[in-house]
Amino acid sequence: MYGIILVAVIAIIAGLLLSWASIQFAVPVDEKQAAVREVLPGANCGACGFSGCDGYAAALAAGTAEIGLCSPGGPDVAEECATILGKAAGEMVRKVALVQCNGTCSNAGQKLIYDGVDTCQAVSLMFAGDSTCAYGCLGHGDCAAVCPEKAILVHDGLAMIDQDKCVGCGICVKTCPKHVIALVPFEKKHHVLCVNTDKGAEAMKVCKTSCIGCMKCVKTCEHDAIHVTNFNAAIDYDKCTNCGAFFRYKVLRQGLLRDVIHEEKQHLILEK
């Protein structure tokens, strides 16, 4: 009997101590932070530049982060966050992933037969990959494996992205060992599909659609939106107006720049 009473007293004392400790050491909850966290998608992709949705919510509540950094959430989430914080959401540019390579099996050759772990990370350790181009997509699907939206498919030795499904989380960008994937504005329809920085003659030896740094696109663009650095063209999306002048004047070899027609063909492949 005394044993039962003793245990009951100890339980009561322990309960009181735990109650006191929970009050004494309680961490104040920021209601705004909790509300913001509720509207964030929970992807924890890090595209915002923070460790995850919790970190971004805390930064927003503290006023140390900009609204609209959540790519998966898009403009709708940015608007909800702005309402909670009592601020203006501002304009949010939707970004999607783009494979900056056109090195399909027919465009770029194979310099070796790889028989090992079927990942881009593994094959890249073998003489910079099995493709003749040391800069291009390896086509073993590491990006497709990590894509949470299943928006990436490897076709004809090249990773292809369905930009309608892509939420711009940037996980594939971090995963690609060749760094050929980049986040670009969704509304922009013209892109350079090559990251080879070798001289023209050397670049042409490894891929039929390599950028050769010929400067014709630079001379054709009326908006100073294209520049060539290290024998490779790059588009300044802030200046690009989607005019497509380089297509009208046919100053670039077929396959180097992706236009709307190329995008539509890509979507047809992904739907099969």
Side-chain angles (χ1 to χ4, degrees):
M1 184 65 181
Y2 290 108
I4 296 174
I5 294 173
L6 180 62
V7 171
V9 171
I10 293 174
I12 292 171
I13 294 173
L16 291 172
L17 286 173
L18 288 173
S19 299
W20 173 83
S22 65
I23 296 172
Q24 189 70 20
F25 300 106
V27 178
V29 177
D30 189 325
E31 294 183 1
K32 285 188 177 181
Q33 178 180 334
V36 169
R37 180 61 186 86
E38 281 295 316
V39 302
L40 292 177
N44 291 315
C45 60
C48 57
F50 294 88
S51 57
C53 293
D54 289 338
Y56 184 41
L60 281 173
T64 57
E66 295 181 8
I67 297 173
L69 298 181
C70 179
S71 297
D76 293 338
V77 167
E79 194 63 44
E80 289 185 66
C81 291
T83 302
I84 294 169
L85 299 172
K87 298 179 180 179
E91 183 181 359
M92 182 178 179
V93 177
R94 180 189 172 190
K95 290 190 175 183
V96 292
L98 172 78
V99 179
Q100 300 174 111
C101 178
N102 202 26
T104 60
C105 293
S106 57
N107 289 334
Q110 230 182 351
K111 65 184 178 186
L112 59 89
I113 298 175
Y114 175 75
D115 184 16
V117 179
D118 192 21
T119 66
C120 298
Q121 290 286 352
V123 74
S124 66
L125 299 176
M126 298 293 293
F127 306 101
D130 51 357
S131 172
T132 53
C133 179
Y135 300 87
C137 174
L138 295 172
H140 289 266
D142 288 20
C143 52
V146 299
C147 179
E149 302 299 322
K150 306 301 180 186
I152 306 178
L153 177 73
V154 176
H155 176 77
D156 195 19
L158 181 70
M160 306 188 79
I161 299 173
D162 186 341
Q163 294 186 336
D164 289 332
K165 290 182 180 179
C166 178
V167 296
C169 66
I171 297 177
C172 59
V173 177
K174 300 173 184 176
T175 301
C176 179
K178 289 297 182 179
H179 309 293
V180 297
I181 305 178
L183 292 177
V184 300
F186 177 73
E187 64 179 11
K188 302 300 182 181
K189 299 303 179 183
H190 306 297
H191 311 284
V192 178
L193 300 185
C194 181
V195 293
N196 193 326
T197 56
D198 290 339
K199 291 183 178 181
E202 294 300 318
M204 283 295 294
K205 289 179 183 178
V206 297
C207 183
K208 296 177 182 178
T209 59
S210 292
C211 176
I212 58 176
C214 65
M215 301 292 289
K216 288 184 178 180
C217 54
V218 177
K219 296 173 183 177
T220 304
C221 181
E222 300 174 356
H223 305 281
D224 190 37
I226 308 178
H227 299 92
V228 172
T229 305
N230 293 329
F231 308 103
N232 187 264
I235 296 177
D236 184 342
Y237 293 109
D238 291 332
K239 294 181 179 179
C240 179
T241 62
N242 280 337
C243 68
F246 29 71
F247 289 104
R248 289 200 301 270
Y249 294 108
K250 298 180 180 180
V251 298
L252 290 180
R253 290 180 296 110
Q254 184 179 5
L256 178 59
L257 289 173
R258 173 172 295 168
D259 60 5
V260 180
I261 297 175
H262 189 108
E263 293 288 350
E264 291 174 351
K265 287 181 180 178
Q266 173 176 299
H267 291 167
L268 288 175
I269 291 172
L270 290 167
E271 288 172 359
K272 290 182 180 179

